[in-house]
């Protein structure tokens, strides 16, 4: 790709949250460092979610504290309340996602309030992040479809992004939470959001439920997305979105994008790291690129 784009690996947040298994802090930090050292641009390392509802996120604050300030500059923490932002900033987080759902029904299921109620406290979230010297991203879940109400009106997304209360955020993430979007829908929505908020960087967060994760991500990049999300082995899904399966695979995105820093040897290291963490979790590896890398041919340099 000639268009510059950053890849954010979300294994340690969105990837883990459906597994029900808590990885210890050392294991999470080791994986984060493997990915950062390999060249992955940015990471999502955890969430300020209730540990009784999302047990794999219980040690997020410990992970933040162990990472160095330089590492934290490339790491993101998911939040849904100003209080969560304050706790993450206090622990040292420098990049925060404030998440709400475009769909009221999903927002109630996910964070226990309406979309309007989440928007009402966005200015407070912006202020807390600013005082802590942190960047704040507005993350819009169910930007395409809702598991409870079906298709989401794109105008609702545009209205949320264009709301005056988004002043102070640095970027907007559009999430295909259920993996039901098509490349044309992704392209059109990102183009509309860019028109209404040209000052905000756009992030695309895709899932591969219907097999279009990579295609949708490429469409997002062509439409102007500056950062895209993936998870090792296609791990992940939302615990409050019935029917949502894994994220678009980091390995598949890397093979499709082939950034300048990616060599066959580095790719092999990332494929290996993904295989090891999935085996530890007892989860299947859904990455087609990881499968291809295990081919027995010896004439293709990306075979590991």
């Amino acid at each position: 790709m000639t268009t510059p784009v950053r890849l954010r690996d979300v294994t340690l947040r969105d990837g883990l949250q459906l597994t029900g298994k808590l990885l210890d802090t050392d294991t999470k930090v080791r994986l984060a460092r493997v990915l950062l050292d390999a060249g992955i641009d940015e990471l999502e390392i955890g969430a300020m979610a209730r540990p009784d509802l999302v047990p794999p996120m219980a040690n997020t604050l410990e992970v933040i504290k162990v990472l160095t300030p330089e590492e934290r500059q490339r790491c993101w923490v998911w939040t849904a309340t100003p209080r969560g932002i304050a706790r993450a900033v206090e622990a040292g987080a420098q990049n925060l996602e404030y998440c709400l759902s475009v769909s009221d029904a999903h927002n109630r299921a996910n964070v226990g309030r309406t979309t309007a109620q989440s928007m009402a406290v966005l200015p407070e979230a912006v202020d807390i992040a600013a005082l802590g010297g942190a960047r704040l991203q507005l993350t819009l879940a169910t930007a395409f479809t809702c598991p409870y109400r079906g298709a989401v009106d794109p105008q609702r997304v545009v209205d949320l992004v264009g709301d005056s209360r988004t002043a102070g955020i640095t970027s907007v993430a559009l999430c295909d939470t259920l993996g039901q979007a098509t490349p044309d829908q992704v392209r059109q929505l990102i183009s509309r959001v860019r028109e209404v908020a040209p000052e905000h960087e756009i992030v695309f967060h895709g899932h591969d439920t219907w097999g279009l994760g990579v295609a949708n991500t490429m469409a997002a990049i062509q439409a102007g997305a500056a950062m895209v999300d993936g998870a090792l082995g296609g791990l992940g899904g939302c615990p409050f979105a019935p029917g949502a399966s894994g994220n678009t695979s980091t390995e598949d995105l890397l093979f499709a994008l082939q950034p300048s820093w990616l060599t066959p040897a580095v790719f092999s290291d990332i494929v290996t790291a993904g295989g090891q963490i999935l085996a530890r979790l007892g989860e299947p590896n859904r990455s087609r690129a990881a499968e291809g890398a295990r081919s027995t041919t010896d004439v293709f340099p990306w075979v590991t």
Side-chain angles (χ1 to χ4, degrees), residues 98-128:
Y98 179 76
C99 183
L100 57 90
S101 301
V102 180
S103 158
D104 270 323
H106 186 260
N107 208 59
R108 290 191 189 96
N110 197 30
V111 298
R113 61 186 68 87
T114 66
T115 302
Q117 288 171 326
S118 288
M119 281 295 292
V121 295
L122 176 56
E124 182 183 355
V126 168
D127 288 344
I128 294 171

Short mmCIF file of all heavy atoms in Angstrom, two decimals, residues 98-128:
data_model
loop_
_atom_site.label_atom_id
_atom_site.label_comp_id
_atom_site.label_asym_id
_atom_site.label_seq_id
_atom_site.Cartn_x
_atom_site.Cartn_y
_atom_site.Cartn_z
N TYR A 98 -12.91 6.25 24.36
CA TYR A 98 -14.19 6.42 25.05
C TYR A 98 -15.24 5.80 24.14
O TYR A 98 -15.54 6.32 23.06
CB TYR A 98 -14.50 7.89 25.30
CG TYR A 98 -15.82 8.12 25.99
CD1 TYR A 98 -15.97 7.86 27.35
CD2 TYR A 98 -16.93 8.57 25.28
CE1 TYR A 98 -17.19 8.06 27.97
CE2 TYR A 98 -18.15 8.78 25.90
CZ TYR A 98 -18.28 8.51 27.25
OH TYR A 98 -19.49 8.71 27.87
N CYS A 99 -15.80 4.67 24.57
CA CYS A 99 -16.66 3.88 23.70
C CYS A 99 -18.14 4.09 24.03
O CYS A 99 -18.55 4.07 25.19
CB CYS A 99 -16.32 2.40 23.81
SG CYS A 99 -17.28 1.35 22.70
N LEU A 100 -18.92 4.27 22.99
CA LEU A 100 -20.37 4.23 23.10
C LEU A 100 -20.89 3.58 21.82
O LEU A 100 -20.21 3.54 20.80
CB LEU A 100 -20.97 5.62 23.33
CG LEU A 100 -20.66 6.72 22.30
CD1 LEU A 100 -21.70 6.74 21.18
CD2 LEU A 100 -20.60 8.07 22.99
N SER A 101 -22.10 3.06 21.89
CA SER A 101 -22.69 2.39 20.73
C SER A 101 -23.62 3.33 19.99
O SER A 101 -24.38 4.09 20.62
CB SER A 101 -23.46 1.14 21.17
OG SER A 101 -22.61 0.24 21.84
N VAL A 102 -23.58 3.27 18.69
CA VAL A 102 -24.51 4.05 17.88
C VAL A 102 -25.94 3.59 18.15
O VAL A 102 -26.88 4.38 18.16
CB VAL A 102 -24.15 3.93 16.39
CG1 VAL A 102 -25.11 4.75 15.53
CG2 VAL A 102 -22.71 4.36 16.15
N SER A 103 -26.10 2.30 18.38
CA SER A 103 -27.39 1.71 18.71
C SER A 103 -27.69 1.84 20.19
O SER A 103 -26.90 1.41 21.04
CB SER A 103 -27.40 0.23 18.31
OG SER A 103 -28.37 -0.49 19.03
N ASP A 104 -28.86 2.42 20.53
CA ASP A 104 -29.25 2.53 21.93
C ASP A 104 -29.34 1.16 22.59
O ASP A 104 -28.92 0.98 23.74
CB ASP A 104 -30.62 3.23 22.05
CG ASP A 104 -30.50 4.73 22.18
OD1 ASP A 104 -29.56 5.20 22.84
OD2 ASP A 104 -31.34 5.44 21.61
N ALA A 105 -29.91 0.20 21.87
CA ALA A 105 -30.11 -1.13 22.46
C ALA A 105 -28.78 -1.77 22.83
O ALA A 105 -28.64 -2.36 23.91
CB ALA A 105 -30.87 -2.02 21.47
N HIS A 106 -27.78 -1.63 21.97
CA HIS A 106 -26.48 -2.21 22.29
C HIS A 106 -25.77 -1.42 23.37
O HIS A 106 -25.08 -1.99 24.21
CB HIS A 106 -25.60 -2.29 21.04
CG HIS A 106 -24.32 -3.01 21.28
ND1 HIS A 106 -23.13 -2.36 21.50
CD2 HIS A 106 -24.04 -4.34 21.37
CE1 HIS A 106 -22.17 -3.25 21.70
NE2 HIS A 106 -22.69 -4.45 21.62
N ASN A 107 -25.94 -0.09 23.38
CA ASN A 107 -25.29 0.70 24.42
C ASN A 107 -25.83 0.32 25.80
O ASN A 107 -25.08 0.24 26.77
CB ASN A 107 -25.50 2.20 24.16
CG ASN A 107 -24.37 3.04 24.72
OD1 ASN A 107 -23.22 2.87 24.34
ND2 ASN A 107 -24.69 3.94 25.64
N ARG A 108 -27.13 0.09 25.87
CA ARG A 108 -27.71 -0.35 27.15
C ARG A 108 -27.14 -1.70 27.58
O ARG A 108 -26.82 -1.91 28.75
CB ARG A 108 -29.23 -0.44 27.05
CG ARG A 108 -29.95 0.90 26.94
CD ARG A 108 -31.45 0.72 27.11
NE ARG A 108 -32.20 1.92 26.80
CZ ARG A 108 -32.76 2.18 25.63
NH1 ARG A 108 -32.65 1.29 24.63
NH2 ARG A 108 -33.43 3.30 25.42
N ALA A 109 -27.02 -2.62 26.64
CA ALA A 109 -26.49 -3.94 26.96
C ALA A 109 -25.01 -3.89 27.31
O ALA A 109 -24.54 -4.60 28.19
CB ALA A 109 -26.72 -4.90 25.78
N ASN A 110 -24.28 -3.02 26.64
CA ASN A 110 -22.82 -2.98 26.76
C ASN A 110 -22.36 -2.16 27.97
O ASN A 110 -21.47 -2.59 28.71
CB ASN A 110 -22.23 -2.42 25.47
CG ASN A 110 -20.74 -2.70 25.32
OD1 ASN A 110 -20.23 -3.70 25.80
ND2 ASN A 110 -20.04 -1.80 24.66
N VAL A 111 -22.96 -0.97 28.15
CA VAL A 111 -22.49 -0.09 29.22
C VAL A 111 -23.60 0.39 30.15
O VAL A 111 -23.36 1.23 31.03
CB VAL A 111 -21.72 1.12 28.64
CG1 VAL A 111 -20.48 0.65 27.89
CG2 VAL A 111 -22.59 1.97 27.74
N GLY A 112 -24.83 -0.09 29.96
CA GLY A 112 -25.89 0.18 30.92
C GLY A 112 -26.52 1.56 30.85
O GLY A 112 -27.09 2.02 31.84
N ARG A 113 -26.43 2.22 29.70
CA ARG A 113 -27.07 3.53 29.56
C ARG A 113 -27.41 3.76 28.08
O ARG A 113 -26.96 3.00 27.22
CB ARG A 113 -26.16 4.64 30.10
CG ARG A 113 -24.84 4.78 29.39
CD ARG A 113 -23.94 5.80 30.08
NE ARG A 113 -23.53 5.30 31.39
CZ ARG A 113 -22.47 4.53 31.58
NH1 ARG A 113 -21.72 4.18 30.56
NH2 ARG A 113 -22.15 4.12 32.78
N THR A 114 -28.17 4.80 27.81
CA THR A 114 -28.49 5.11 26.42
C THR A 114 -27.32 5.79 25.75
O THR A 114 -26.39 6.30 26.41
CB THR A 114 -29.72 6.02 26.33
OG1 THR A 114 -29.38 7.30 26.90
CG2 THR A 114 -30.92 5.43 27.07
N THR A 115 -27.37 5.83 24.43
CA THR A 115 -26.34 6.54 23.68
C THR A 115 -26.31 8.01 24.08
O THR A 115 -25.23 8.60 24.24
CB THR A 115 -26.60 6.40 22.17
OG1 THR A 115 -26.63 5.01 21.82
CG2 THR A 115 -25.53 7.11 21.35
N ALA A 116 -27.49 8.61 24.25
CA ALA A 116 -27.56 10.02 24.64
C ALA A 116 -26.91 10.25 26.00
O ALA A 116 -26.23 11.27 26.20
CB ALA A 116 -29.02 10.48 24.66
N GLN A 117 -27.09 9.33 26.93
CA GLN A 117 -26.48 9.48 28.26
C GLN A 117 -24.95 9.38 28.16
O GLN A 117 -24.24 10.10 28.87
CB GLN A 117 -27.04 8.41 29.20
CG GLN A 117 -28.48 8.66 29.62
CD GLN A 117 -29.09 7.50 30.36
OE1 GLN A 117 -28.78 6.33 30.09
NE2 GLN A 117 -29.97 7.80 31.32
N SER A 118 -24.45 8.49 27.30
CA SER A 118 -23.00 8.40 27.11
C SER A 118 -22.45 9.66 26.47
O SER A 118 -21.38 10.16 26.85
CB SER A 118 -22.66 7.18 26.24
OG SER A 118 -22.85 5.97 26.94
N MET A 119 -23.18 10.20 25.51
CA MET A 119 -22.74 11.45 24.87
C MET A 119 -22.76 12.61 25.84
O MET A 119 -21.92 13.52 25.77
CB MET A 119 -23.62 11.75 23.67
CG MET A 119 -23.30 10.95 22.43
SD MET A 119 -21.64 11.31 21.73
CE MET A 119 -21.89 13.00 21.14
N ALA A 120 -23.70 12.61 26.77
CA ALA A 120 -23.84 13.74 27.70
C ALA A 120 -22.61 13.93 28.57
O ALA A 120 -22.30 15.06 28.97
CB ALA A 120 -25.07 13.52 28.58
N VAL A 121 -21.89 12.85 28.86
CA VAL A 121 -20.70 12.97 29.72
C VAL A 121 -19.41 12.97 28.91
O VAL A 121 -18.32 12.96 29.49
CB VAL A 121 -20.67 11.87 30.80
CG1 VAL A 121 -21.84 12.03 31.76
CG2 VAL A 121 -20.69 10.48 30.17
N LEU A 122 -19.52 12.99 27.58
CA LEU A 122 -18.32 13.03 26.76
C LEU A 122 -17.45 14.26 27.07
O LEU A 122 -16.22 14.13 27.17
CB LEU A 122 -18.68 12.98 25.28
CG LEU A 122 -17.52 13.12 24.28
CD1 LEU A 122 -16.44 12.06 24.52
CD2 LEU A 122 -18.03 13.04 22.85
N PRO A 123 -18.03 15.47 27.23
CA PRO A 123 -17.17 16.62 27.57
C PRO A 123 -16.37 16.41 28.85
O PRO A 123 -15.21 16.85 28.94
CB PRO A 123 -18.18 17.77 27.71
CG PRO A 123 -19.32 17.37 26.84
CD PRO A 123 -19.43 15.88 27.00
N GLU A 124 -16.96 15.75 29.84
CA GLU A 124 -16.22 15.45 31.08
C GLU A 124 -15.07 14.51 30.78
O GLU A 124 -13.95 14.68 31.30
CB GLU A 124 -17.17 14.84 32.11
CG GLU A 124 -16.49 14.54 33.43
CD GLU A 124 -17.41 13.86 34.43
OE1 GLU A 124 -18.63 13.69 34.13
OE2 GLU A 124 -16.93 13.47 35.52
N ALA A 125 -15.32 13.51 29.94
CA ALA A 125 -14.27 12.56 29.57
C ALA A 125 -13.13 13.29 28.85
O ALA A 125 -11.94 13.04 29.10
CB ALA A 125 -14.84 11.47 28.68
N VAL A 126 -13.49 14.21 27.96
CA VAL A 126 -12.49 14.99 27.22
C VAL A 126 -11.63 15.80 28.19
O VAL A 126 -10.40 15.85 28.07
CB VAL A 126 -13.17 15.91 26.19
CG1 VAL A 126 -12.18 16.93 25.64
CG2 VAL A 126 -13.78 15.10 25.06
N ASP A 127 -12.27 16.44 29.15
CA ASP A 127 -11.55 17.28 30.11
C ASP A 127 -10.57 16.46 30.96
O ASP A 127 -9.43 16.87 31.20
CB ASP A 127 -12.53 18.01 31.03
CG ASP A 127 -13.28 19.12 30.30
OD1 ASP A 127 -12.85 19.51 29.21
OD2 ASP A 127 -14.33 19.56 30.84
N ILE A 128 -11.02 15.30 31.42
CA ILE A 128 -10.15 14.46 32.25
C ILE A 128 -8.94 13.99 31.46
O ILE A 128 -7.80 14.02 31.96
CB ILE A 128 -10.94 13.25 32.80
CG1 ILE A 128 -12.03 13.72 33.76
CG2 ILE A 128 -10.01 12.27 33.50
CD1 ILE A 128 -12.99 12.62 34.18
#
